[in-house]
């Protein structure tokens, strides 16, 4: 999805996740709209569990009408016609549900293996196989034009919108206007709102059909407006870039985005590997990229026959006790679509599952209970107390926190995988 949610175009690390989702997908729901909002995007909100309010947000000093009139002047100065603006904003009022979604933060999470269970459901795999066969001619054209694997496109299609069945029903103009007026990222929301008005002015879609998620993501491949304007494609040649109801346009738009993000048809996204006894788990860092030949020399098993000069990073999505993956540049390209390592892993595995592969051989530590948001915050605060700098405590396990965890683990003589666990928090609690 980053195209689906705000932060994913703003962040470019393996472990930062999208910060705007709320619920867990079941097998029939679009997984990408339910991505984790905390803990490095390797978990999703547990169904039936409360969300924790985010930090207080200062209320606007002006009324919505005053904000709208000021924004109208800005939009007209940016080239939006008065007719387009007034038609788009006719009857628009703030949406309280959007503000509630924007300000909530899930307290409880579930681990990556449960996320993958939903992403790789039999229903999703069967639907993907059927659509690959049904649209064979279209995918031939897309691969020839953009050089992006058809199975990857179908995996994105499936996770973003359940193959176009669930694309969101909120007015994009209303949602973005609400976020621009009262949300936590008003400047970003205003930029997206201007981009949405440009889409209307171009005539690609009528305001009544410009619908999507509360965060402003649109269509079968869940583009935000700025991404749409840069990468959406009129593949069927009807004069409109219709990512809402035209599969060819939606899939071509995703392919175009991946192409411009660096997808290489000749290379794998990555593969599962096994690590030798005594391996240095501190090497599992997105910033560490080694040629496959070097990983092989370190005793890593399971490396494919890919070019040994290709550079890869080691991903341990559940820490040293779970499966290990070497991920290459195409994995990073998927992250540009949605900056979540769980999402990128799901796309890679699902794309292989359509052809009978994509099975994870390593055992997940299914008995582990992930840290809640308040526990992650406590972990960060206790790391600070012990002299390990995770950055400003915020409950989000990003690169700085992982580095701090590794340093602390090394001081204990533990495997330094940078993974937050209940055991780690318990050890910190025992410190004087």
């Amino acid at each position: 999805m980053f195209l689906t949610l705000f932060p994913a175009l703003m962040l470019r690390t393996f472990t930062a996740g999208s910060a705007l989702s709320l619920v867990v997908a079941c097998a029939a729901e679009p997984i990408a709209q339910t991505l984790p909002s905390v803990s490095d995007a390797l978990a999703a909100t547990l169904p039936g569990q409360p969300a924790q309010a985010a930090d207080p947000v200062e209320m606007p000093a002006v009324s919505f009408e005053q904000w709208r009139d000021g924004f109208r002047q800005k939009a007209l100065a940016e080239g939006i016609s008065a007719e387009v603006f007034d038609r788009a904003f006719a009857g628009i009022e703030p949406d309280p549900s959007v503000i509630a979604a924007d300000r909530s933060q899930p307290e409880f999470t579930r681990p990556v293996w449960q996320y993958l269970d939903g992403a790789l459901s039999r229903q999703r795999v069967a639907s993907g196989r059927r659509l690959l066969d049904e649209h064979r001619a279209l995918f031939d054209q897309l691969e020839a034009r953009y050089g992006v694997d058809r199975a990857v496109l179908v995996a994105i299609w499936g996770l973003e919108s359940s193959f176009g069945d669930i694309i969101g029903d909120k007015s994009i103009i209303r949602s973005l206007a609400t976020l621009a007026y009262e949300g936590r990222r008003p400047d970003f929301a205003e930029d997206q709102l201007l981009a949405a008005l440009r889409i209307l002015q171009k005539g690609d879609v009528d305001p009544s059909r410009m619908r999507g998620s509360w965060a402003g993501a649109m269509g079968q491949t869940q583009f935000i407006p700025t991404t749409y304007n840069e990468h959406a494609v009129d593949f069927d040649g009807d004069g409109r870039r219709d990512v809402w109801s035209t599969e060819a346009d939606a899939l071509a738009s995703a392919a175009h985005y991946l192409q411009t993000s660096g997808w290489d048809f000749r290379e794998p996204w990555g593969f599962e590997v096994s690590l030798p006894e005594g391996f240095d788990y501190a090497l599992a860092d997105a910033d560490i990229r080694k040629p496959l030949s070097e990983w092989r020399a370190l005793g890593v098993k399971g490396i494919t026959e890919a070019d040994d000069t290709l550079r890869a990073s080691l991903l341990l999505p559940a820490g040293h006790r779970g499966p290990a993956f070497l991920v290459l540049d195409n994995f990073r390209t998927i992250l540009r679509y949605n900056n979540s390592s769980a999402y990128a892993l799901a796309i890679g595995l699902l794309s292989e599952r359509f052809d009978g592969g994509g099975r994870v051989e390593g055992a997940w530590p299914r008995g582990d209970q992930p840290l809640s948001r308040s526990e992650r915050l406590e972990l960060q605060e206790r790391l600070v107390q012990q002299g390990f700098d995770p950055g400003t405590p915020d409950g989000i396990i990003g690169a700085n926190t992982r580095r701090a965890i590794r340093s602390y683990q090394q001081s204990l003589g533990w495997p330094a995988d940078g993974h937050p666990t209940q055991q780690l928090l318990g050890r910190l609690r025992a410190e004087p």
Side-chain angles (χ1 to χ4, degrees):
M1 130 177 87
F2 185 16
L3 303 180
T4 47
L5 299 179
F6 292 173
L9 287 181
M10 301 162 65
L11 302 175
R12 290 294 182 265
T13 63
F14 274 18
T15 56
S18 101
L20 300 176
S21 58
L22 295 177
V23 295
V24 170
C26 67
E29 290 175 329
I31 289 288
Q33 293 181 8
T34 64
L35 277 174
S37 57
V38 285
S39 187
D40 80 355
L42 293 182
T45 311
L46 284 169
Q49 296 292 347
Q52 179 168 312
D55 294 334
V57 177
E58 184 176 349
M59 297 301 293
V62 298
S63 68
F64 179 76
E65 290 73 19
Q66 289 172 315
W67 169 84
R68 180 199 59 206
D69 292 345
F71 181 70
R72 184 179 188 274
Q73 294 179 3
K74 178 178 179 179
L76 268 55
E78 291 286 335
I80 302 300
S81 75
E83 179 184 359
V84 166
F85 187 96
D86 294 342
R87 183 181 177 204
F89 271 79
I92 294 293
E93 297 289 342
D95 185 341
S97 68
V98 169
I99 293 303
D102 186 45
R103 294 184 182 177
S104 66
Q105 296 186 28
E107 170 67 9
F108 298 95
T109 61
R110 70 179 195 170
V112 61
W113 51 88
Q114 291 182 12
Y115 172 77
L116 292 176
D117 287 346
L120 307 178
S121 69
R122 281 185 289 183
Q123 177 183 343
R124 199 180 309 277
V125 172
S127 295
R129 288 172 175 165
R130 174 180 57 79
L131 290 166
L132 278 165
D133 183 64
E134 182 178 320
H135 296 286
R136 185 182 303 274
L138 170 62
F139 287 118
D140 287 343
Q141 296 173 343
L142 292 174
E143 285 186 345
R145 174 81 63 87
Y146 300 107
V148 176
D149 304 65
R150 64 186 66 197
V152 169
L153 292 177
V154 173
I156 289 173
W157 192 18
L159 265 64
E160 293 294 346
S161 68
S162 287
F163 309 107
D165 288 342
I166 306 174
I167 63 175
D169 62 358
K170 287 190 173 293
S171 162
I172 294 297
I173 297 298
R174 186 184 186 194
S175 292
L176 291 174
T178 302
L179 292 169
Y181 169 63
E182 200 175 347
R184 292 177 295 127
R185 300 173 179 84
D187 292 341
F188 184 80
E190 281 200 8
D191 289 343
Q192 296 306 315
L193 187 52
L194 281 171
L197 290 170
R198 292 188 181 102
I199 296 169
L200 296 177
Q201 185 152 290
K202 185 176 175 61
D204 284 318
V205 65
D206 185 86
S208 63
R209 291 188 58 242
M210 184 184 268
R211 308 191 76 80
S213 76
W214 68 263
M218 310 180 300
Q220 299 189 35
T221 47
Q222 292 290 279
F223 278 19
I224 57 169
T226 52
T227 302
Y228 176 100
N229 283 334
E230 294 174 13
H231 300 287
V233 172
D234 173 22
F235 198 74
D236 66 359
D238 69 352
R240 296 183 300 113
R241 298 174 296 172
D242 183 3
V243 299
W244 291 268
S245 59
T246 303
E247 289 88 352
D249 287 1
L251 292 166
S253 298
H256 183 229
Y257 184 85
L258 291 174
Q259 178 194 52
T260 57
S261 296
W263 186 269
D264 191 331
F265 194 90
R266 301 164 297 177
E267 298 179 8
W269 63 269
F271 35 81
E272 187 179 4
V273 294
S274 59
L275 305 178
E277 197 84 23
F279 185 81
D280 181 6
Y281 293 104
L283 295 175
D285 186 324
D287 291 333
I288 297 175
R289 303 178 68 196
K290 295 178 178 293
L292 293 180
S293 59
E294 290 191 23
W295 290 113
R296 199 188 308 273
L298 288 169
V300 176
K301 304 296 185 183
I303 297 176
T304 69
E305 297 303 316
D307 184 350
D308 266 2
T309 65
L310 295 177
R311 300 175 69 82
S313 295
L314 180 63
L315 175 68
L316 302 177
H320 74 281
R321 296 178 56 242
F325 302 86
L326 283 180
V327 294
L328 289 82
D329 285 344
N330 280 344
F331 187 89
R332 293 176 180 266
T333 297
I334 299 171
L335 288 176
R336 294 187 181 98
Y337 200 101
N338 184 326
N339 195 34
S340 156
S341 54
Y343 175 86
L345 185 59
I347 292 296
L349 293 172
L350 181 57
S351 69
E352 295 175 352
R353 193 68 66 89
F354 296 140
D355 197 32
R359 304 286 175 178
V360 177
E361 299 298 329
W364 296 104
R366 291 183 178 268
D368 287 1
Q369 174 63 41
L371 299 180
S372 68
R373 179 178 181 273
S374 56
E375 287 173 330
R376 291 189 297 273
L377 186 62
E378 179 188 354
L379 181 142
Q380 292 171 323
E381 292 169 343
R382 290 184 179 275
L383 284 169
V384 172
Q385 292 170 9
Q386 296 301 318
F388 300 92
D389 181 17
T392 302
D394 57 6
I396 298 173
I397 306 299
N400 290 335
T401 300
R402 288 187 177 278
R403 279 192 288 269
I405 291 173
R406 286 192 190 96
S407 296
Y408 180 62
Q409 289 170 325
Q410 288 169 336
S411 75
L412 299 174
W414 291 9
D417 59 9
H419 190 63
T421 63
Q422 293 287 347
Q423 183 187 22
L424 184 74
L425 178 58
R427 185 66 177 80
L428 280 164
R429 285 170 173 167
E431 296 282 4

